[in-house]
């Protein structure tokens, strides 16, 4: 056994041999075995003790089956599953990155538009300070929304407890409208 069974499988094979020699039945086992030509094959072993009427061991019948093809297919399937999970993670990361870029770009675009509007109002002749101030406030709010997105992302990545707090639904609707205003105007 030591000459043909793979070194990693030898302890389990030795335990099974002791169980068989003591007359105990053992479950089927798969192990790697060196074939006559030197390459390794997987064998499924199903040994059964042969006992006399008094329970004395007379011998062992061992049915062995080459399961190398099945093990190779299982290993290939496992490798494919690992690759599929990697691709799924990469795909999910791509979708997440796209969504995140959108979430950050919306308020930044709003800030830019409002900043440009503020510059136009303030550089007009005569300057419209009220409109310039309103546009500047909207720009600041938009930048804060972008900062909030980044903060929520940081909390998600660092596994912080979610911030559960009451909020004004009207303000939330206003934020959604502000975030979608540019897209609504383009459409």
């Amino acid at each position: 056994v030591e000459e043909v069974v793979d070194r990693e499988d030898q302890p389990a094979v030795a335990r099974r041999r002791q169980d068989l020699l003591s007359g105990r039945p053992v479950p089927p086992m798969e192990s790697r075995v060196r074939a006559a030509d030197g390459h390794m094959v997987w064998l499924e072993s199903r040994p059964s003790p042969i006992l006399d009427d008094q329970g004395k061991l007379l011998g062992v019948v061992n049915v062995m089956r080459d399961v190398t093809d099945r093990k190779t297919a299982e290993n290939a399937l496992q490798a494919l599953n690992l690759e599929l999970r990697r691709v799924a993670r990469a795909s999910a990361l791509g979708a997440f990155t796209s969504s995140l870029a959108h979430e950050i770009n919306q308020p930044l675009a709003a800030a830019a538009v409002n900043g440009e509007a503020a510059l136009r109002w303030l550089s007009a002749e005569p300057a419209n300070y009220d409109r310039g101030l309103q546009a500047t406030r909207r720009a600041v709010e938009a930048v804060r929304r972008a900062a909030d997105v980044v903060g929520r992302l940081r909390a998600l990545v660092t596994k912080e407890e979610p911030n559960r707090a009451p909020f004004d639904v009207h303000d939330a609707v206003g934020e959604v409208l502000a975030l979608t205003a540019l897209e609504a105007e383009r459409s």
Side-chain angles (χ1 to χ4, degrees), residues 44-48 61-65:
E44 178 186 68
S45 171
R46 293 180 175 264
S48 299
V61 173
N62 192 2
V63 177
M64 300 182 91
R65 181 170 61 127

Side-chain angles (χ1 to χ4, degrees), residues 158-178:
T158 59
K159 295 183 181 179
E160 290 179 13
E161 279 296 312
N163 181 13
R164 299 186 199 299
F167 68 96
D168 187 333
V169 174
H170 296 290
D171 287 346
V173 170
E175 279 188 42
V176 170
L177 291 174

